[in-house]
Amino acid sequence: MNDKLYHCGFVAVVGRPNVGKSTLINTIIGNKVSIVTPKPQTTRHRILGVDTHDEYQAIYVDTPGIHRHASKAMNRMMNRTAANALADADLVLFMSEANRWTEEDQDVLERLSTVTAPVIALLNKIDKVHPREALFQALSEMAARREFAEVIPISAIKRENIDKLVALVPSYLPESGPLFPSEMISDRSDNFRAAEVVREKLTLELRQEIPYGLTVQIERFEQDEKGILINAVIWVERDSQKGIVVGKGGSVLKRVGRAARVDLKKQFGVPVHLELWVKVKSNWADNESDLQRLGYESP
Ligand code: GDP
Ligand code: MG
């Protein structure tokens, strides 16, 4: 046994939608624990990515992006989820894009004013910054905005500076035994991850506005020696959306099913048989009891 003390704690990853929070966590964990698309509002839940080592366990908290105009119940719930993650964090990673600073970034930064945990600023997507010298100005502008424990330029996709970041994390974690078994990489069930993969493929396939009006519910998830059988229902808000999700002659649904199957097979390591249905339920995104029934956090 190692006689050094074990460290374990929560690392909240915050930032406006689309800065790369889920990508960063997937890169650190080395598996898809949280889905990624180029569209905002992809991450709707608080998802944990667990990174276990001999001396420490870092529990990364992926948060839904913090939204400016929290009108619908769904958005309010997403904001609450992000706020709770901040209150519980031992370390906060505040992400923005290296070549962009927006009002939404400023809003998130302002929310950090009451946070007592140390905050590391991450300037992501440096692979898109040309020439690299432009980074110097971005780094010094960031350092002037608040007191940060560190300001680190990274690329979550290209893995640039990720090892450096990961090496810094344990020094911020309190002494504690591990909270999760070492083989666990996420707090979410296979069921949940399957639903999220279907939602990721739908979001990638559909035009900008429609993905916000749908959710995915797994009705059947059975594993035997041949593989996994999954039946999933795609809930949409209106009849008109149903037609779009199904597509001409079922073409959209077919593409979504195929892409999801390939991804799920990779994640679970066995063949996956996936069946998808589309059903209408009006205003689910604005009804708190529906949200809870469909697996969204209660307040
Ligand atoms: P989130 O909303 O903050 O969780 O952002 P996501 O992780 O879903 O990423 C949003 C988009 O940014 C996706 O299209 C990602 O592929 C892209 N992205 C994330 N990290 C990087 C990066 O380091 N470089 C580049 N070029 N794109 C990135
Ligand atoms: Mg995300």
Side-chain angles (χ1 to χ4, degrees):
M1 262 309 269
N2 190 333
D3 58 3
K4 272 208 289 192
L5 287 164
Y6 202 84
H7 290 252
C8 177
F10 290 89
V11 183
V13 183
V14 300
R16 74 166 156 79
N18 229 28
V19 290
K21 299 178 293 295
S22 299
T23 305
L24 173 70
I25 294 179
N26 292 341
T27 298
I28 293 174
I29 305 301
N31 199 314
K32 189 186 279 179
V33 296
S34 196
I35 61 171
V36 171
T37 81
K39 295 169 190 177
Q41 299 193 30
T42 298
T43 307
R44 291 177 179 171
H45 310 74
R46 189 205 65 163
I47 295 172
L48 303 182
V50 184
D51 187 28
T52 305
H53 297 263
D54 288 342
E55 297 85 26
Y56 74 96
Q57 182 174 72
I59 304 163
Y60 291 89
V61 187
D62 192 4
T63 58
I66 293 169
H67 294 277
R68 251 196 150 179
H69 306 292
S71 46
K72 280 193 162 187
M74 166 79 124
N75 282 346
R76 284 198 301 274
M77 203 169 277
M78 286 164 70
N79 280 345
R80 272 203 299 269
T81 304
N84 289 343
L86 277 176
D88 294 340
D90 299 298
L91 172 66
V92 175
L93 303 181
F94 167 57
M95 273 181 106
S96 58
E97 289 182 32
N99 59 4
R100 203 138 69 111
W101 181 258
T102 68
E103 284 185 359
E104 278 186 301
D105 293 305
Q106 186 65 38
D107 281 354
V108 180
L109 183 70
E110 278 159 26
R111 298 225 185 181
L112 297 183
S113 59
T114 55
V115 167
T116 50
V119 180
I120 294 179
L122 299 177
L123 281 84
N124 191 31
K125 310 195 184 181
I126 58 170
D127 53 291
K128 292 208 294 198
V129 177
H130 308 289
R132 278 291 163 100
E133 287 71 44
L135 269 179
F136 290 123
Q137 194 182 343
L139 286 168
S140 64
E141 280 172 8
M142 184 58 83
R145 290 190 180 109
R146 182 194 200 278
E147 186 159 330
F148 292 110
E150 308 266 349
V151 181
I152 309 174
I154 64 166
S155 169
I157 278 193
K158 305 267 192 228
R159 264 203 146 269
E160 284 191 75
N161 269 345
I162 301 301
D163 293 339
K164 181 182 164 195
L165 166 66
V166 168
L168 283 172
V169 167
S171 64
Y172 292 97
L173 305 179
E175 280 173 24
S176 153
L179 294 174
F180 289 95
S182 61
E183 71 280 1
M184 227 172 130
I185 58 165
S186 167
D187 64 327
R188 295 291 176 161
S189 63
D190 289 348
N191 221 301
F192 174 87
R193 289 171 66 189
E196 286 287 276
V197 167
V198 173
R199 199 163 60 79
E200 178 185 74
K201 304 313 174 199
L202 283 161
T203 307
L204 291 171
E205 189 69 41
L206 297 169
R207 280 183 304 126
Q208 189 77 17
E209 60 278 17
I210 299 194
Y212 311 135
L214 59 80
T215 191
V216 178
Q217 188 179 25
I218 304 294
E219 297 217 308
R220 198 162 157 209
F221 190 108
E222 284 167 20
Q223 186 155 16
D224 63 19
E225 63 284 355
K226 293 201 292 282
I228 301 174
L229 171 73
I230 302 171
N231 291 355
V233 175
I234 300 162
W235 290 102
V236 295
E237 290 183 306
R238 285 187 297 278
D239 268 323
S240 59
Q241 295 174 333
K242 182 172 172 175
I244 295 169
V245 171
V246 171
K248 251 207 186 103
S251 57
V252 174
L253 207 56
K254 256 183 233 155
R255 282 200 299 275
V256 166
R258 203 177 305 129
R261 212 156 27 239
V262 169
D263 202 339
L264 289 167
K265 184 175 174 217
K266 211 159 57 191
Q267 280 195 55
F268 294 126
V270 294
V272 171
H273 180 82
L274 175 67
E275 280 178 36
L276 299 174
W277 282 270
V278 185
K279 294 185 185 172
V280 181
K281 177 165 191 35
S282 57
N283 293 328
W284 68 265
D286 208 15
N287 180 325
E288 301 232 3
S289 65
D290 276 346
L291 284 172
Q292 286 176 28
R293 208 173 44 72
L294 291 167
Y296 293 89
E297 260 105 73
S298 44

